Amino acid sequence: TALISSRLTDPSRSRECPIADPMPVAAGMPSARACPAAHQLPMPSLSSQHLRPAFGPVSWRRRCGVSLLRAQNERQDRSPGSKSPVATLQDQLKSSLQGKRQQSAPGRRPSPPPPPPEKEPGTYGPLDLRAYLQPWDVPWGLGETALGLVSWSLTFAATGLFSVTLLRWTLGSSVGSLPMDVKALFILLNQMLGTGVTLGLLWLFTRRHTPLPADLFSIDPRAPFRPSDGWLLWALVGIALSPLVVIASATAAAAIWGSAPSDARGTVDSISQLINVDGSTRAALLTTTAILAPVLEESVFRGFLLPSLTRVLPVPLAVLASSAAFGLIHLTPRDFPQLTALGILMGFTYVRTRNLLTPILIHGAWNGGVLSILYAIAAGGGDVQELLRSGL
């Protein structure tokens, strides 16, 4: 020690470490033989003046060790957020010790592997039933859902009352006393007003939660025939199944509750008196029933109510509840089973595609198809009113 300290305390040799290329034992740690130049040092005389610096602030261990670590760190080109070699080695040792403790802990089972991530609705196969069990990520709660439905119901009723009042004030007559063509035009204008008010109310309600998830109120015309979620493909499937679903529900309802009374009103009774009219009235009725009504009703019951209910209910129960509300809102007890069954079909196709174009197209095709059949019966000389009274 005295020999090394005498050379290191020399001002001409104490400014830097004599080692040019250190050989570390471990990453970030200097070699135990820190200074090979010490073997070449001459033998000075032993004195207290030479011994003190060996244990003072300029000792060879401190000077050579700091120089080695600084030189090694400067040679590494690491990112600003990376750890030093010493810290990396410490982290590896800690993780190894923790793993050994967990393995050696008595009676402790290893943690199960994490579950696989859930698939997006569009990644399921055509026959994969898991696609019908995925809820929506709705940013509002059940209370806001109920408030939105009540607000829409009151607004829709107020819109109809306003239209009737405006008609009476401008023309001085009621809707029932209007000619057939004027009545069809009034129904079209009233439906246009109600659809616009409904869409505006939904926009005002949801704008506080923007940006909305991509599968809420989605109308996307891309990939119409994709097997997993093609909106046109599944709409065609729904259109093909609609007659079977409606006939099956009507048959089951008749078997359970019996036949409906002949004076019970259905959904087509309000327009059946407008069947035997000209082409302009037919176009107005088709626009009302096959375009505007599906857009309004599917935006409310499939676009808003169904995803909102999946926040508190499983998806199949949410489809059933929204379909029952869809049947009740028509205020036609005779057609409630058929409307509910049709709503279930449109609900599950919407769950599959997450695209409002699918239920709108199914709904419009059903309404337009029924109206076209009635026109064909009337054109063939049949009595539409008598057919409806007989339970058609």
Side-chain angles (χ1 to χ4, degrees):
T1 304
L3 295 178
I4 298 173
S5 61
S6 63
R7 177 57 65 94
L8 291 178
T9 52
D10 188 355
S12 63
R13 297 180 180 271
S14 62
R15 295 185 179 275
E16 60 183 1
C17 179
I19 301 176
D21 189 13
M23 298 178 61
V25 175
M29 300 297 296
S31 173
R33 291 177 292 179
C35 192
H39 298 281
Q40 302 175 5
L41 298 177
M43 181 71 69
S45 59
L46 298 177
S47 65
S48 61
Q49 182 180 1
H50 293 148
L51 289 174
R52 277 196 302 270
F55 303 97
V58 291
S59 65
W60 71 274
R61 290 180 178 272
R62 177 181 178 186
R63 186 175 298 277
C64 290
V66 172
S67 300
L68 290 175
L69 287 175
R70 185 181 296 126
Q72 189 173 14
N73 290 336
E74 289 176 355
R75 284 199 302 270
Q76 293 180 351
D77 184 17
R78 58 181 192 271
S79 59
S82 63
K83 297 181 179 181
S84 64
V86 177
T88 303
L89 182 60
Q90 291 176 349
D91 292 343
Q92 293 176 355
L93 292 174
K94 288 180 180 179
S95 61
S96 177
L97 290 175
Q98 290 176 357
K100 291 181 179 179
R101 288 176 188 152
Q102 292 179 356
Q103 293 177 0
S104 60
R108 184 171 183 177
R109 297 180 179 179
S111 58
E118 293 184 355
K119 291 184 178 180
E120 294 293 331
T123 61
Y124 289 101
L127 302 179
D128 196 340
L129 298 180
R130 291 178 297 174
Y132 302 99
L133 303 176
Q134 301 301 318
W136 277 264
D137 184 15
V138 181
W140 52 81
L142 190 59
E144 293 179 275
T145 302
L147 179 61
L149 284 179
V150 172
S151 301
W152 170 75
S153 301
L154 295 176
T155 304
F156 188 74
T159 302
L161 182 61
F162 170 77
S163 301
V164 172
T165 304
L166 182 63
L167 176 67
R168 185 181 295 275
W169 181 68
T170 55
L171 300 180
S173 61
S174 62
V175 178
S177 61
L178 293 174
M180 294 299 178
D181 54 345
V182 179
K183 184 185 293 187
L185 181 61
F186 172 78
I187 293 174
L188 174 62
L189 294 177
N190 182 62
Q191 188 68 39
M192 291 176 61
L193 180 61
T195 303
V197 170
T198 298
L199 296 180
L201 186 64
L202 290 175
W203 177 78
L204 288 176
F205 179 80
T206 57
R207 66 190 294 251
R208 299 180 301 143
H209 303 282
T210 53
L212 295 174
D215 57 352
L216 277 178
F217 296 102
S218 174
I219 297 180
D220 189 357
R222 297 175 297 178
F225 292 101
R226 187 163 53 193
S228 59
D229 60 347
W231 62 271
L232 184 54
L233 174 64
W234 289 95
L236 294 175
V237 172
I239 292 171
L241 293 177
S242 296
L244 301 177
V245 169
V246 172
I247 293 173
S249 61
T251 304
I256 296 173
W257 295 295
S259 300
S262 59
D263 58 345
R265 292 182 58 82
T267 54
V268 299
D269 291 331
S270 58
I271 61 173
S272 60
Q273 299 176 355
L274 305 176
I275 297 299
N276 297 316
V277 292
D278 56 7
S280 61
T281 305
R282 183 184 305 177
L285 290 178
L286 282 174
T287 303
T288 301
T289 59
I291 298 177
L292 296 177
V295 170
L296 185 153
E297 295 173 4
E298 296 309 310
S299 297
V300 173
F301 293 99
R302 250 62 67 182
F304 174 71
L305 181 59
L306 173 57
S308 301
L309 291 178
T310 61
R311 187 180 178 94
V312 294
L313 293 175
V315 174
L317 291 181
V319 171
L320 180 61
S322 61
S323 302
F326 171 73
L328 288 172
I329 203 66
H330 287 81
L331 303 177
T332 54
R334 189 182 72 184
D335 294 339
F336 174 75
Q338 296 91 315
L339 291 172
T340 302
L342 191 63
I344 292 173
L345 176 64
M346 293 186 293
F348 277 115
T349 55
Y350 179 54
V351 170
R352 181 78 206 205
T353 63
R354 307 296 170 110
N355 195 333
L356 275 175
L357 289 175
T358 301
I360 288 174
L361 189 56
I362 298 173
H363 195 160
W366 175 258
N367 287 357
V370 170
L371 192 60
S372 299
I373 291 174
L374 294 179
Y375 273 115
I377 293 173
D383 189 351
V384 175
Q385 297 293 330
E386 183 62 27
L387 290 174
L388 292 176
R389 283 193 296 269
S390 64
L392 174 65

mmCIF file of all heavy atoms in Angstrom, residues 3 93 173 241 261 328:
data_model
loop_
_atom_site.group_PDB
_atom_site.id
_atom_site.type_symbol
_atom_site.label_atom_id
_atom_site.label_comp_id
_atom_site.label_asym_id
_atom_site.label_seq_id
_atom_site.Cartn_x
_atom_site.Cartn_y
_atom_site.Cartn_z
ATOM 1 N N LEU A 3 3.805 1.482 -1.184
ATOM 2 C CA LEU A 3 4.451 1.617 -2.486
ATOM 3 C C LEU A 3 3.514 2.255 -3.507
ATOM 4 O O LEU A 3 3.895 3.134 -4.268
ATOM 5 C CB LEU A 3 4.906 0.239 -2.966
ATOM 6 C CG LEU A 3 6.003 -0.457 -2.146
ATOM 7 C CD1 LEU A 3 6.284 -1.832 -2.747
ATOM 8 C CD2 LEU A 3 7.273 0.372 -2.114
ATOM 9 N N LEU A 93 -31.176 -9.681 -10.746
ATOM 10 C CA LEU A 93 -31.035 -10.437 -9.507
ATOM 11 C C LEU A 93 -32.327 -10.417 -8.695
ATOM 12 O O LEU A 93 -32.740 -11.426 -8.128
ATOM 13 C CB LEU A 93 -29.873 -9.882 -8.679
ATOM 14 C CG LEU A 93 -28.468 -10.104 -9.266
ATOM 15 C CD1 LEU A 93 -27.421 -9.388 -8.420
ATOM 16 C CD2 LEU A 93 -28.151 -11.595 -9.332
ATOM 17 N N SER A 173 -109.838 22.047 -41.025
ATOM 18 C CA SER A 173 -110.429 20.711 -41.057
ATOM 19 C C SER A 173 -109.525 19.742 -40.319
ATOM 20 O O SER A 173 -108.335 20.009 -40.096
ATOM 21 C CB SER A 173 -110.638 20.238 -42.501
ATOM 22 O OG SER A 173 -109.393 20.160 -43.189
ATOM 23 N N LEU A 241 -85.731 -14.345 -43.609
ATOM 24 C CA LEU A 241 -86.308 -14.969 -42.416
ATOM 25 C C LEU A 241 -87.538 -14.239 -41.882
ATOM 26 O O LEU A 241 -88.260 -14.795 -41.038
ATOM 27 C CB LEU A 241 -85.252 -15.053 -41.305
ATOM 28 C CG LEU A 241 -84.069 -15.984 -41.552
ATOM 29 C CD1 LEU A 241 -83.082 -15.893 -40.395
ATOM 30 C CD2 LEU A 241 -84.526 -17.417 -41.749
ATOM 31 N N PRO A 261 -109.702 -10.549 -31.580
ATOM 32 C CA PRO A 261 -111.040 -10.096 -31.979
ATOM 33 C C PRO A 261 -111.014 -9.445 -33.363
ATOM 34 O O PRO A 261 -110.019 -8.858 -33.775
ATOM 35 C CB PRO A 261 -111.404 -9.088 -30.890
ATOM 36 C CG PRO A 261 -110.541 -9.438 -29.735
ATOM 37 C CD PRO A 261 -109.270 -9.973 -30.309
ATOM 38 N N LEU A 328 -94.638 -2.511 -28.244
ATOM 39 C CA LEU A 328 -95.607 -1.735 -27.464
ATOM 40 C C LEU A 328 -95.818 -0.337 -28.032
ATOM 41 O O LEU A 328 -96.928 0.209 -27.932
ATOM 42 C CB LEU A 328 -95.141 -1.638 -26.010
ATOM 43 C CG LEU A 328 -95.230 -2.902 -25.162
ATOM 44 C CD1 LEU A 328 -94.555 -2.693 -23.815
ATOM 45 C CD2 LEU A 328 -96.685 -3.313 -24.970
#
